[in-house]
Amino acid sequence: MKQYFSYFKFLFITILVMALLTGGIGVVRSLTEKYIRKNNAAEGERVFDYADVLTAAEEKKLAEQIAKREQQTGCDIVIVTIDQSVLEFYGYEANTDSNWSRAMRDFADDFYDENGFGYNRVHGDGVLLLDNWYEGEKGSWLSTCGRVLERYSNSMIDAVLDDVYDRVEKSPYKAYSAYIEDIYRDMTRGRININPLIPLGVAAVAAVIFIVSHMKTKEGEKTTGATTYVQNGSVQFTVMRDELINKHVTSVAYNPSSGSGGHSGGGGRHVSSGGVSHGGGGRRR
Amino acid sequence: MIFKCKNCGGNVVYDPEIQKMHCPYCDGVDSEEKKTEQQSIYNCINCGGVISNIGEFTSASRCPYCGDYIIFDERVTGAYKPNRIVPFVYSKELTKKKLREKFKSCVFAPGDFLSEVKLDTMTGLYVPFWMYDYHVQGRYDGEGSKIRKWVSGNREYTETSVYHIVREMEVDFDKMPVDASDAMPDNIMDLMEPYNYGQLVDFKEEYMSGFFAERYNQDDMAMEPRAVGKAKSDAELLLRNSISGYVGLKSSLNNQVTLARTQTNYALLPVWVYNYKYKGEDFTFHVNGQTGKIVGRVPLSKAKVWGYGATVFASVFALLMLVRQLLLFF
């Protein structure tokens, strides 16, 4: 046992130091990191239940949850439910997917802009979930703005919508609560998010290498070579001939390949009628 | 025969550290006196005790009763008289130190593997070797290609030049060694090499006192095929090393290496042997008594390796998850 600990001393100490560091940073973060609200134009309401799918108690609970998460993320988090035709509202005649998307997007963006949302300033950091319950136009739209726009890629927006759709038919409250938690998780977590399977794989490989390298024990290395028993200077090449027999040349087309890079965040970026940059996405359900 | 101390009558042995005969009883140096009136090989020349465990080829041993080192005259004289010997350079203490240094990092070895008690059982043994001198002629005949590539415009060109390669070589091998003891595994003895022939001296019985020894088990004719094999593969490697810069070497069939034996030596070379038993299995370590080179497989506890492996897995995983968590903060 003593030998065991002395063998892994360095590794264990490193883990301990890392754990203390990580825990320490985590604690300090949670204590100190409260964003200070700088936009006083949009104080108050965040949950606008026009479709009346939430009870008064649920609305209150969501509002409390939002208040807490807004401080931690520094982003306004808004929920709007409607039970009306956005297509009619914007004068679209055909109920096509693209018309629906445009109408939902504009409704969400305009609602955000007109109410002056944004935690740091009017039209600043924030996100709005528009959930439409109108028969034939059911679906959600997520409108992102400011830091949320910068952070959210299309796939992240999809992930939030998935979480909402998984729950919304059974319990709208749970769906919207999940949306708030998603925003909190994504906005407080760093950009560098490594898949946990990678550490798992690396650890497995390290363990296998460790075991294999220790299972195979060698008798000893060979320490003689071709010249070990050669009497000093006795190697003589009486013939050393390299004659060219033939030579031929072939050629192939040469085109070096090139790569390309990527960029995440800013999913669905556009400028709203109010001149504010928004991102977002949505789909019918 | 036995070497007795002129001063105290104790058993004088060869001491590798001072490279002289030394009496461990009175500390006398070069105080030895040879006694040879032995009645039979099975009686200790010192105490007369009956030694029953003398092997067929043993030429030097230790009396189990009085502990004196005895040399069997008829196995080191006449046809069995070695002409050369490399005396021990590593004493038992030095060899212990060497083993401890080499294996101190082996955490998987059993606890008493390097203990004083176990290491003390180690014995110094002079192993009989045949050494062959050869004059070798070798020939290589074959084909090889040289490839040159370049880019011009938007085409890549490859030029292949095929050469006919001929080498003829002469070389002398000096004292190609082959152990002449059946008890010693050939592959282990090959790994003991090389011995430094600068310390290969004319045989003297004194060097044997204090150690175990064997006479050759088989004569030089019987052992020669192994030496020929070693000399041939060395010569072929020398030929091959003289050919460079080619790809796709193909040798033709008329390549050959011929050897002519020019001289033979019968020599004793020093080896320390440490036998360690672990879970019913024998682990034998051979240490070159001249250079200190160690050959042997360390016993290891499989359970220990798996346990340590699991710890490595858990630790690396924990560490990487912590790194991941740290990265999430930024």
Side-chain angles (χ1 to χ4, degrees), chain A residues 38-94:
Chain A
K38 293 188 183 132
N39 173 9
N40 299 318
E43 271 178 310
E45 232 185 321
R46 294 287 183 273
V47 184
F48 302 88
D49 185 23
Y50 301 124
D52 203 20
V53 293
L54 299 165
T55 65
E58 283 172 346
E59 273 185 50
K60 200 174 158 237
K61 272 201 279 183
L62 286 173
E64 280 165 6
Q65 190 184 351
I66 286 172
K68 184 173 141 205
R69 294 311 189 200
E70 280 189 351
Q71 274 194 350
Q72 288 163 327
T73 58
C75 303
D76 275 357
I77 304 170
V78 185
I79 297 167
V80 181
T81 72
I82 52 171
D83 187 5
Q84 70 175 94
S85 170
V86 285
L87 291 167
E88 262 173 47
F89 186 80
Y90 284 104
Y92 290 107
E93 281 181 10

Side-chain angles (χ1 to χ4, degrees), chain B residues 6-202:
Chain B
K6 275 187 276 199
N7 309 328
C8 72
N11 182 204
V12 180
V13 294
Y14 179 74
D15 186 336
E17 287 183 34
I18 55 171
Q19 296 184 17
K20 284 194 168 91
M21 293 300 277
H22 175 236
C23 175
Y25 303 94
C26 69
D27 220 16
V29 172
D30 283 342
S31 60
E32 81 278 8
E33 202 172 27
K34 185 156 87 173
K35 266 182 71 186
T36 52
E37 68 281 11
Q38 194 166 13
Q39 32 177 291
S40 103
I41 197 162
Y42 299 110
N43 288 97
C44 173
I45 186 169
N46 182 49
C47 68
V50 181
I51 313 167
S52 53
N53 60 345
I54 299 296
E56 188 189 347
F57 304 112
T58 306
S59 57
S61 189
R62 190 175 194 185
C63 172
Y65 308 105
C66 65
D68 277 7
Y69 288 94
I70 40 185
I71 299 157
F72 306 120
D73 295 45
E74 66 245 51
R75 293 182 180 177
V76 292
T77 52
Y80 298 124
K81 183 176 189 240
N83 38 355
R84 313 303 285 283
I85 187 168
V86 172
F88 272 93
V89 172
Y90 271 77
S91 64
K92 189 183 248 185
E93 288 312 311
L94 251 156
T95 310
K96 285 181 191 170
K97 215 177 121 193
K98 192 96 183 161
L99 280 164
R100 288 201 171 108
E101 268 170 25
K102 168 141 181 172
F103 296 120
K104 72 169 175 247
S105 61
C106 283
V107 286
F108 304 112
D112 65 345
F113 171 59
L114 294 173
S115 70
E116 190 65 27
V117 178
K118 294 279 180 184
L119 283 179
D120 234 16
T121 62
M122 171 163 66
T123 53
L125 175 69
Y126 279 109
V127 179
F129 272 78
W130 288 109
M131 293 173 171
Y132 305 85
D133 292 357
Y134 289 110
H135 181 71
V136 181
Q137 289 180 302
R139 179 184 163 83
Y140 179 91
D141 190 311
E143 264 184 34
S145 306
K146 284 185 177 172
I147 310 269
R148 203 162 65 88
K149 284 188 179 196
W150 69 94
V151 174
S152 174
N154 56 354
R155 296 198 75 76
E156 188 184 46
Y157 294 88
T158 307
E159 178 192 79
T160 310
S161 311
V162 183
Y163 286 84
H164 176 213
I165 305 152
V166 183
R167 296 283 184 276
E168 276 176 29
M169 177 191 75
E170 294 200 22
V171 62
D172 289 306
F173 283 119
D174 180 32
K175 298 187 184 67
M176 186 62 77
V178 170
D179 76 283
S181 163
D182 296 339
M184 292 288 131
D186 290 345
N187 62 322
I188 302 288
M189 288 302 109
D190 285 351
L191 289 174
M192 287 278 93
E193 295 173 31
Y195 280 88
N196 171 9
Y197 288 161
Q199 287 169 308
L200 186 70
V201 295
D202 287 337

